[in-house]
C-alpha cells in the first residue's frame, strides 16, 4: 500500500534549486552523492557514454520487468542512485565531446567525478582546467584512495576497501563459531557513506563560496571514509591498542544488544541503558536487574556469558509478536528481524511513504525502443519542513535528455545535434 499523501513535486520550493550539478560519476558513491543533491532540488546533468551508459545499467539481475512482465535488459541497480537526474550521452573521448562538457561546466556550480586519480586530465576535464574556465566551480573527486599517497593511482571498490579498512574484520561471526570468518556488509556501505560525506563536503564548499566567491577541490577517498566510520571500534583500538574481533550480532560495549531466539523465530533487543534493562526485567517477570552483577551495563558486559543464556531460555517462551507487544509501551527497543519484503510492508515504513513510484515519460507513451516507464525507488530520508525532497525525474533512460539539455544550456540546434550524433559524439 502506498502512502496516500501526495509526494512533493516540481512546483514545491526546494533547498538547492539554485544549483547546477554536472555529474561525471558512475556506479554508486558519486551517483549517491548527486542523487542527494538532486532530491534537494539541484539540476543534475548526468553524462553517460553513448550506447553504454553507467556500468550499473547492466548490473543484474534483478532486471526491470518489461510490459509483458519479462526481464528486460535494464538492471534495477541504476535506479537506486539516479533519481531526479537528466541523462545526456556525450563521448568524452572525442574532442567535440570534451568541449561540450567544458561548456556545461562553465556555468555549473558543482562537478562530481569518480575517475582514477588524474584520469580526466588528459581530456582537459580536471579541476585545474575547469576551474580556470569557472573559478566558482566546486569540483568533487571520488576515488578509492585519494589524490595523494602511495595508493593514489590504484582503482578502489567498496568490497576491497571494506577488507583493507578492517571493517570486514569486525563484521560476521567469530572464527570459532559455525560460519565464522570475515564478512562484507550486505550493501556497499562504504560507497554509500562516501556519497553522504561528499554531499556534506559539497554543501560546506557552497557555504564557503558565499564568503570567498571561489570554488574549491574536494578530495573524497573510500579508504578515508571507511577508516572514519569504524567509529567506536577505531577509537577503541587507537586508545587501547587492542584489536577488536568479530562477535556476530553482539556488541562489544553494550549488553544485551543482539538477536534472541523466540518461540517462532528471532527478535532483536537493543537495550542501551540500565533503565531499559530494568523495565525489560519487570515486564518479563525476572529479578535480574536487582542482582549486582547485572544491575549496570558494565556488570552485564563482564557477566555476558552468564546473562545471555538465561535471557535466551526466557525469550524462547513467547513468539516474536508477543514480545514486541509486551515491551513496546515500556520503551524497551525490541523488533522483528525482517527480510526486505517484510520491511517494505511494515506499517511504519508505509506510513512514512518510503516507497515512491515515478514514470520516465509522465503522460506520454515511451518512445520506440524504450520498454521501461514505471520505476519504483526508495524515498529520500531527508525531511525538511519548508523545502522537502522533490520528485521531478524518474531514473532516466540512457540519453533521455540529451537534446533537451544541450538545446537549453548550450543553444544547440536540431541540425547541430544531429550532426554530433552522426559523428558518434552523442
Amino acid at each position: 500500500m502506498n502512502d496516500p499523501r501526495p509526494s512533493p513535486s516540481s512546483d514545491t520550493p526546494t533547498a538547492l534549486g539554485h544549483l547546477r550539478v554536472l555529474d561525471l560519476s558512475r556506479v554508486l558513491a558519486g551517483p549517491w552523492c548527486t542523487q542527494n543533491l538532486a532530491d534537494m532540488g539541484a539540476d543534475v546533468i548526468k553524462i553517460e557514454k553513448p550506447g553504454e551508459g553507467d556500468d550499473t545499467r547492466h548490473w543484474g539481475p534483478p532486471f526491470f520487468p518489461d510490459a509483458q512482465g519479462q526481464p528486460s535488459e535494464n538492471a534495477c541497480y541504476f535506479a537506486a542512485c539516479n533519481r531526479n537526474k537528466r541523462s545526456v550521452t556525450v563521448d568524452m573521448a572525442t574532442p567535440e565531446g570534451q568541449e561540450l562538457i567544458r561548456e556545461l561546466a562553465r556555468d555549473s556550480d558543482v562537478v562530481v567525478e569518480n575517475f582514477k586519480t588524474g584520469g580526466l586530465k588528459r581530456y582537459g576535464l580536471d579541476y585545474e582546467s575547469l576551474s580556470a574556465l569557472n573559478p566558482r566551480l566546486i569540483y568533487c573527486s571520488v576515488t578509492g584512495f585519494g589524490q595523494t599517497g602511495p595508493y593514489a593511482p590504484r582503482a578502489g571498490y567498496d568490497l576491497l576497501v571494506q577488507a583493507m579498512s578492517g571493517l570486514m574484520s569486525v563484521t560476521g561471526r567469530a572464527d570459532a563459531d559455525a560460519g565464522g570468518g570475515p564478512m562484507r556488509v550486505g550493501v556497499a556501505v562504504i560507497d554509500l557513506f562516501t556519497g553522504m560525506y561528499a554531499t556534506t563536503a559539497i554543501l560546506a564548499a557552497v557555504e564557503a563560496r558565499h564568503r570567498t566567491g571561489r570554488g574549491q577541490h574536494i578530495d573524497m577517498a573510500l579508504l578515508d571514509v571507511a577508516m572514519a566510520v569504524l567509529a567506536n571500534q577505531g577509537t577503541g583500538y587507537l586508545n587501547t591498542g587492542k584489536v577488536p574481533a568479530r562477535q556476530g550480532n553482539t556488541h562489544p560495549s553494550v549488553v544485551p544488544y543482539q538477536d534472541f531466539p523466540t518461540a517462532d523465530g528471532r527478535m532483536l533487543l537493543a537495550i542501551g541503558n540500565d533503565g531499559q534493562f530494568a523495565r525489560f526485567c519487570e515486564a518479563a517477570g525476572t529479578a535480574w536487574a536487582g542482582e549486582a552483577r547485572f544491575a549496570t551495563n558494565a556488570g552485564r558486559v563482564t557477566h555476558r556469558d552468564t546473562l545471555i543464556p538465561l535471557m535466551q531460555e526466557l525469550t524462547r517462551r513467547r513468539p516474536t509478536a508477543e514480545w514486541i507487544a509486551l515491551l513496546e509501551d515500556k520503551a524497551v527497543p525490541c523488533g522483528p528481524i525482517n527480510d526486505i519484503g517484510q520491511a517494505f510492508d511494515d506499517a511504519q515504513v508505509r506510513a512514512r511513504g518510503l516507497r515512491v513510484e515515478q514514470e520516465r515519460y509522465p503522460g506520454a507513451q515511451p518512445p520506440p525502443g524504450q520498454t521501461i516507464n514505471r520505476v519504483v525507488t526508495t524515498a529520500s530520508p531527508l525531511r525538511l519542513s519548508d523545502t522537502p525532497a522533490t520528485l521531478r525525474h524518474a531514473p532516466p533512460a540512457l540519453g533521455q535528455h540529451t537534446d533537451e539539455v544541450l538545446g537549453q544550456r548550450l543553444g544547440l540546434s536540431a541540425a547541430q545535434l544531429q550532426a554530433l550524433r552522426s559523428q558518434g559524439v552523442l
Side-chain angles (χ1 to χ4, degrees), residues 277-353:
F277 184 69
R279 292 194 297 275
F280 167 82
C281 292
E282 181 180 2
T286 78
W288 296 328
E291 297 185 32
R293 58 182 176 165
F294 300 145
T296 66
N297 180 68
R300 293 192 295 275
V301 172
T302 300
H303 298 284
R304 181 199 304 263
D305 292 343
T306 301
L307 175 62
I308 296 305
L310 293 173
M311 291 187 65
Q312 290 171 335
E313 181 182 352
L314 175 67
T315 59
R316 286 190 179 97
R317 299 174 188 174
R318 301 173 189 258
T320 299
E322 192 172 318
W323 277 114
I324 294 171
L326 176 68
L327 298 174
E328 186 170 19
D329 65 350
K330 312 297 190 303
V332 176
C334 174
I337 302 175
N338 290 329
D339 62 30
I340 291 177
Q342 292 168 326
F344 274 107
D345 196 45
D346 183 272
Q348 181 68 13
V349 171
R350 288 186 281 116
R352 295 286 285 178

Side-chain angles (χ1 to χ4, degrees), residues 140-355:
C140 180
S141 296
V142 179
T143 59
F145 301 101
Q147 302 295 306
T148 60
Y151 299 166
R154 295 185 184 180
Y157 284 85
D158 176 276
L159 180 58
L160 174 64
V161 174
Q162 284 198 40
M164 293 181 65
S165 66
L167 179 61
M168 289 177 63
S169 77
V170 293
T171 305
R173 295 187 179 278
D175 287 337
D177 294 346
M183 186 70 64
R184 73 175 179 90
V185 180
V187 295
V189 65
I190 302 305
D191 275 342
L192 299 174
F193 266 117
T194 302
M196 295 305 299
Y197 272 107
T199 303
T200 303
I202 287 168
L203 296 180
V206 170
E207 180 64 22
R209 192 177 66 177
H210 293 326
R211 300 190 304 274
T212 67
R214 292 190 59 83
Q216 57 184 295
H217 189 199
I218 298 169
D219 175 10
M220 294 299 310
L222 269 65
L223 183 61
D224 295 359
V225 170
M227 301 304 294
V229 301
L230 290 175
N232 58 297
Q233 298 280 36
T235 55
Y237 165 74
L238 290 172
N239 287 280
T240 67
K242 183 178 179 180
V243 176
R246 287 183 301 281
Q247 53 186 82
N249 291 330
T250 65
H251 195 287
S253 307
V254 183
V255 173
Y257 199 91
Q258 63 183 80
D259 60 313
F260 286 89
T262 65
D264 60 352
R266 302 191 76 80
M267 69 175 180
L268 199 291
L269 280 174
I271 294 177
N273 60 51
D274 298 339
Q276 290 174 352
F277 184 69
R279 292 194 297 275
F280 167 82
C281 292
E282 181 180 2
T286 78
W288 296 328
E291 297 185 32
R293 58 182 176 165
F294 300 145
T296 66
N297 180 68
R300 293 192 295 275
V301 172
T302 300
H303 298 284
R304 181 199 304 263
D305 292 343
T306 301
L307 175 62
I308 296 305
L310 293 173
M311 291 187 65
Q312 290 171 335
E313 181 182 352
L314 175 67
T315 59
R316 286 190 179 97
R317 299 174 188 174
R318 301 173 189 258
T320 299
E322 192 172 318
W323 277 114
I324 294 171
L326 176 68
L327 298 174
E328 186 170 19
D329 65 350
K330 312 297 190 303
V332 176
C334 174
I337 302 175
N338 290 329
D339 62 30
I340 291 177
Q342 292 168 326
F344 274 107
D345 196 45
D346 183 272
Q348 181 68 13
V349 171
R350 288 186 281 116
R352 295 286 285 178
L354 295 177
R355 177 190 185 277

